[in-house]
Amino acid sequence: MDGKMKLPIVEKGYDIAAADAYISMLQEEYNKLYAWGSELEKRTNMPAGETASSEEIEALRTQNRSLYNNCVAFAKHIKRLEKLCVLLLKESRLLEYEDEIQEMVQKQMDDSQREYYLREQLKVISSQLNNGVSPEEEIQEFRDKIAALPVDDASKEKLLRECDRLERYAVQSPEAAVSRNYLETCLDLPWGKYTKDNLDLARANKILEADHYGLKKVKERILEFMAVRSLAPDVGGQIICLVGPPGVGKTSVAKSVARAMGRKYARISLGGVHDEAEIRGHRKTYIGSMPGRIIAAIQQAGSSNPLILLDEVDKLGSDYKGDPSSALLEVLDSEQNFAFRDNYLEIPYDLSKVLFITTANVASDIPAPLYDRMEVIELGSYTAEEKFHIAKKHLIPKQLKKHGLTARQLRFTDGAIRNMIDGYTREAGVRRLEQLIASVCRKAAKRIAEGEEKISVKESDLLALLGNPKFKEERLRDSDEVGVVNGLAWTSVGGELLEVEAAVLDGTGKLGLTGSLGDVMKESAHAAMSYVRSRADALGIDSKFYKNKDIHIHCPEGAVPKDGPSAGVTMTTALVSALTDTPVRRDVAMTGEVTLRGRVLPIGGLKEKSMAAYIRGIKTVIIPKANVPDLDEVDDAVKANVEFIPVSNVDEVLSIALIPVDRPAEVVEEHDAKKDSKRADIPAHDKTGGRRSRVTQ
């Protein structure tokens, strides 16, 4: 109906404006109801696909129009119009709410049907992709495996809860992938799987002897460990740490132990590791999370009692991501590792049956808490004779096999092997020597592939095969010199013999130190200077030398860093020699820390230092008296050719190393009789090797 309707009957006293307003509202609400009538198909409860007939719809419209006309005619009073408007408004709002609810229900039904349809499709697709295994079957398989695990009830319950989560997730959702990977990782671990130890000592000794030449101390300790295991199978807490320079066979020893005991072997390289999560793992909530290296090694070995080698434990680092050495405390502590918790697994794993062997180049770099939990076995440098036998028995056969050669096709003469050791290598181990042998094998393989049948490598062939020797034969100086002392140094690759030089110059009492010296070595030089000043009169030195003389101490090979306290005795001897113009014996070397009182303190690395002295042809080595017990570790060949003289103070050192000389009369007249008599009693100095890159105190 168009236009504004008027009251057909107007009685006195009625508000025409209010009546018109009510009638306008009535007309508006009626139009809404009329519009709802045209949407009968959406609101009817007819079955899907059926619609109301046109006659039914028209009848509804006629009924509503008649109702409107009757209502208007009936509205003789404003109060009646008001009530009528309220009724129509309620009816209109009710119809709106009913329609909204019906739309929501219909949408939910459509979404549910769609989701159900898609889920059924995904099940079929997943079944095809998983070789016919449906998600339900996969989850049930997980539950069966969990039930069979030899773990505590709490761990089983946690894994079962994870299965429940996986079941609720959509098959291809990211959450499902995380949950599935977690369950697969946990179930792939060798829970309760152990290999049986072979504790036959005779067999183990045979294997160790076949794999390694020498290393008697290490082999003996391994056999002791196996003997204890045979008597007390459940004993724990024995962590062996092999300490020695590179290339001496630390890693290969661990492999031999695993083979001798019949255990699985896994290696973890700790060099450069600075994140605690590398040991304990990442929580599975992180993207790309995974277990730590310990659990990964267990999984790799496929056994709960493997031999795990923790390589380069002295090179662990730490930063804002945590301290991995602290995380290793739980791993190596027998009181804790029976319930080791990896952040990824979140359930305890028993590491008490694992045999841990660690390696390090320098014991002093191992964190103290870790060091206390390990038994340290030191592997020293090889002698030239040991290297020769190692090359013949192990390195050459290994490289021949690696390059597809036979002993008949390629042969090394003894002279060639010894020349390679002396002229082309300078190392504590045999790693570089093996590289040289491999290089010769490659060149020989090329020649054999070109038609040669047999190749014999002689000493004279090395120049063509390996080039010029890298190291010349080092000999002692031709004469005894003033202010030059032979010092013994320890480095990460073995021992070295270094010359420490001291020069006295006119000046103002300055002390110059050169040769890339570390802080500890510089302190040793100042301590030596103070000692000489305090003993100037007794040593026949001008007591005012520190005012009118400059002292320069130099250690050659300035590009090589040097540090350590064992240079104290060497520097003191060089200073006294230079200030008294007294030569030093060139066939004497020395090592030891010196105090301001002249006491000689013990040092580390005696085995390596003595080997360096032996190689250079030194006849006498001065050592601190406290290091006498360490002579048991010195090679027999060294002890047979070198005389070791223990000392407790600097005076003893000077009496051995310095060579008394006759002074011209004009020189003697410069000093009073008292000083001249003391000077005549000055002992000959021996020099101490003061440079070392690392010192084991």
Side-chain angles (χ1 to χ4, degrees):
M1 299 176 68
D2 298 329
K4 185 176 180 181
M5 295 192 65
K6 304 291 184 181
L7 278 173
I9 301 174
V10 179
E11 298 182 3
K12 184 179 179 181
Y14 290 167
D15 189 342
I16 303 300
D20 288 344
Y22 279 120
I23 290 176
S24 297
M25 181 180 284
L26 282 172
Q27 186 176 3
E28 182 179 351
E29 293 302 320
Y30 173 78
N31 288 334
K32 290 182 180 180
L33 289 173
Y34 187 81
W36 282 112
S38 66
E39 301 291 333
L40 180 64
E41 296 88 349
K42 297 181 180 180
R43 297 187 290 106
T44 184
N45 292 325
M46 294 181 180
E50 297 185 15
T51 59
S53 64
S54 57
E55 291 82 5
E56 291 174 330
I57 297 175
E58 186 61 31
L60 179 62
R61 291 175 179 173
T62 303
Q63 180 181 357
N64 289 338
R65 187 180 299 111
S66 176
L67 175 64
Y68 172 76
N69 293 331
N70 293 333
C71 289
V72 173
F74 185 74
K76 297 181 178 180
H77 305 283
I78 298 296
K79 197 66 174 176
R80 293 181 179 178
L81 287 175
E82 182 181 350
K83 290 182 180 180
L84 184 59
C85 286
V86 170
L87 293 174
L88 288 177
L89 187 62
K90 288 182 178 180
E91 182 67 16
S92 177
R93 296 293 183 268
L94 181 61
L95 292 175
E96 290 179 2
Y97 293 149
E98 288 179 354
D99 188 72
E100 290 178 2
I101 292 172
Q102 193 167 5
E103 287 184 358
M104 292 173 58
V105 171
Q106 186 64 39
K107 186 176 183 302
Q108 290 179 0
M109 291 179 61
D110 292 343
D111 292 344
S112 177
Q113 292 177 351
R114 179 176 175 274
E115 184 177 354
Y116 174 79
Y117 178 72
L118 293 176
R119 284 183 179 276
E120 292 299 317
Q121 284 187 321
L122 283 175
K123 287 181 181 180
V124 176
I125 295 173
S126 299
S127 176
Q128 296 295 323
L129 293 176
N130 296 327
N131 298 321
V133 179
S134 65
E136 289 81 5
E137 293 174 338
E138 181 186 31
I139 294 172
Q140 186 58 45
E141 184 179 352
F142 284 151
R143 291 194 172 105
D144 295 339
K145 290 182 178 180
I146 293 170
L149 287 180
V151 298
D152 58 274
D153 294 339
S155 299
K156 288 184 179 180
E157 184 178 353
K158 176 173 177 54
L159 294 175
L160 290 174
R161 287 199 303 269
E162 195 66 33
C163 288
D164 296 338
R165 292 192 193 97
L166 177 61
E167 191 173 20
R168 291 194 299 268
Y169 294 144
V171 178
Q172 301 300 323
S173 65
E175 294 83 2
V178 171
S179 186
R180 186 179 294 104
N181 290 337
Y182 171 75
L183 290 171
E184 289 176 348
T185 301
C186 292
L187 296 175
D188 285 344
L189 290 174
W191 301 91
K193 296 181 180 179
Y194 301 97
T195 57
K196 186 178 180 181
D197 287 344
N198 190 334
L199 301 176
D200 186 346
L201 299 186
R203 175 180 174 273
N205 185 55
K206 184 178 180 180
I207 292 175
L208 293 174
E209 290 292 342
D211 292 348
H212 299 88
Y213 182 87
L215 304 179
K216 294 182 180 179
K217 186 177 179 180
V218 178
K219 294 175 182 177
E220 185 67 23
R221 179 61 185 87
I222 296 300
L223 293 176
E224 292 173 358
F225 170 80
M226 294 178 64
V228 173
R229 281 277 177 171
S230 64
L231 299 176
D234 297 330
V235 67
Q238 297 180 342
I239 310 298
I240 298 175
C241 181
L242 304 177
V243 178
V248 297
K250 300 184 296 292
T251 302
S252 60
V253 165
K255 289 183 179 179
S256 297
V257 173
R259 187 159 70 92
M261 296 184 66
R263 291 201 176 195
K264 302 290 187 180
Y265 171 81
R267 174 181 172 270
I268 300 175
S269 179
L270 299 178
V273 173
H274 54 82
D275 187 355
E276 181 186 352
E278 293 284 343
I279 306 299
R280 291 186 177 275
H282 302 79
R283 299 194 179 279
K284 67 177 185 291
T285 53
Y286 293 108
I287 298 176
S289 59
M290 61 184 68
R293 297 195 180 195
I294 302 298
I295 296 299
I298 295 287
Q299 189 174 17
Q300 173 193 341
S303 168
S304 292
N305 65 334
L307 186 151
I308 296 181
L309 175 65
L310 302 177
D311 210 5
E312 309 291 353
V313 72
D314 58 328
K315 296 178 176 59
L316 285 169
S318 62
D319 57 15
Y320 66 94
K321 296 180 180 178
D323 185 4
S325 64
S326 300
L328 278 178
L329 297 179
E330 182 184 1
V331 176
L332 301 181
D333 193 338
S334 60
E335 300 297 326
Q336 305 178 48
N337 62 8
F338 67 91
F340 173 71
R341 285 187 177 272
D342 187 276
N343 290 332
Y344 184 83
L345 297 185
E346 298 180 343
I347 56 177
Y349 195 92
D350 186 7
L351 300 179
S352 61
K353 302 296 190 297
V354 178
L355 175 58
F356 290 101
I357 294 181
T358 66
T359 70
N361 294 134
V362 184
S364 59
D365 288 346
I366 302 175
L370 279 182
Y371 189 91
D372 292 339
R373 285 165 168 79
M374 300 184 295
E375 179 184 352
V376 176
I377 301 177
E378 293 191 2
L379 285 72
S381 305
Y382 290 123
T383 64
E385 191 66 21
E386 287 176 329
K387 291 180 181 179
F388 173 76
H389 290 289
I390 292 172
K392 282 194 78 172
K393 295 181 179 180
H394 300 283
L395 302 184
I396 292 176
K398 175 183 176 182
Q399 292 301 322
L400 289 177
K401 182 180 180 180
K402 186 176 180 181
H403 291 83
L405 302 172
T406 64
R408 179 178 174 274
Q409 293 174 312
L410 178 61
R411 175 178 172 271
F412 289 82
T413 64
D414 292 352
I417 298 174
R418 295 186 184 278
N419 196 310
M420 291 171 65
I421 295 171
D422 297 333
Y424 293 88
T425 65
R426 189 69 82 240
E427 58 181 344
V430 292
R431 186 168 294 165
R432 176 57 181 167
L433 178 59
E434 184 175 6
Q435 293 172 355
L436 293 174
I437 294 172
S439 177
V440 174
C441 289
R442 289 194 299 270
K443 292 178 172 59
K446 180 175 178 292
R447 290 166 56 181
I448 291 174
E450 292 173 348
E452 290 192 48
E453 294 184 359
K454 297 181 181 179
I455 298 175
S456 179
V457 179
K458 301 181 287 295
E459 187 175 348
S460 57
D461 299 326
L462 295 180
L463 182 62
L465 292 171
L466 301 176
N468 293 320
K470 301 297 187 293
F471 304 95
K472 305 290 184 183
E473 183 179 358
E474 298 178 346
R475 297 181 178 179
L476 296 178
R477 301 184 303 276
D478 296 332
S479 61
D480 303 320
E481 300 180 20
V482 174
V484 183
V485 185
N486 292 328
L488 295 174
W490 183 96
T491 70
S492 59
V493 296
E496 284 190 38
L497 188 140
L498 301 172
E499 294 181 346
V500 176
E501 302 174 345
V504 180
L505 312 167
D506 292 334
T508 58
K510 297 179 181 178
L511 176 61
L513 304 172
T514 57
S516 188
L517 308 183
D519 293 337
V520 177
M521 203 165 178
K522 291 178 181 178
E523 291 175 357
S524 297
H526 286 286
M529 186 71 172
S530 298
Y531 171 78
V532 173
R533 286 180 59 185
S534 68
R535 298 270 295 165
D537 290 342
L539 297 173
I541 301 172
D542 181 8
S543 61
K544 304 295 184 182
F545 76 93
Y546 64 93
K547 294 182 178 180
N548 52 29
K549 299 292 183 182
D550 288 342
I551 306 296
H552 187 176
I553 298 177
H554 176 68
C555 295
E557 301 184 35
V560 180
K562 311 169 187 71
D563 203 7
S566 65
V569 172
T570 306
M571 291 182 174
T572 304
T573 303
L575 280 174
V576 175
S577 173
L579 290 168
T580 60
D581 199 27
T582 304
V584 183
R585 289 174 57 187
R586 66 182 183 276
D587 63 342
V588 174
M590 63 188 68
T591 182
E593 182 179 358
V594 69
T595 69
L596 294 177
R597 303 292 183 183
R599 291 189 300 120
V600 179
L601 303 181
I603 48 80
L606 181 60
K607 180 181 178 180
E608 289 77 11
K609 293 178 180 179
S610 63
M611 181 62 65
Y614 167 70
I615 294 174
R616 290 287 297 272
I618 296 295
K619 302 300 182 183
T620 303
V621 174
I622 300 174
I623 64 172
K625 185 171 290 185
N627 285 112
V628 172
D630 297 332
L631 290 175
D632 294 337
E633 300 180 1
V634 175
D635 190 87
D636 293 337
V638 177
K639 289 190 286 188
N641 292 274
V642 178
E643 180 186 7
F644 292 89
I645 301 178
V647 299
S648 57
N649 58 71
V650 174
D651 288 341
E652 297 178 57
V653 177
L654 299 178
S655 66
I656 301 168
L658 293 182
I659 302 175
V661 296
D662 296 331
R663 299 295 182 187
E666 57 271 17
V667 177
V668 177
E669 292 175 358
E670 295 179 359
H671 304 279
D672 58 24
K674 181 180 178 180
K675 292 181 179 180
D676 287 339
S677 63
K678 292 180 179 179
R679 183 173 182 176
D681 296 332
I682 296 177
H685 287 53
D686 187 333
K687 30 190 184 174
T688 342
R691 172 176 89 83
R692 57 178 186 174
S693 51
R694 285 290 180 189
V695 179
T696 304
Q697 296 291 352

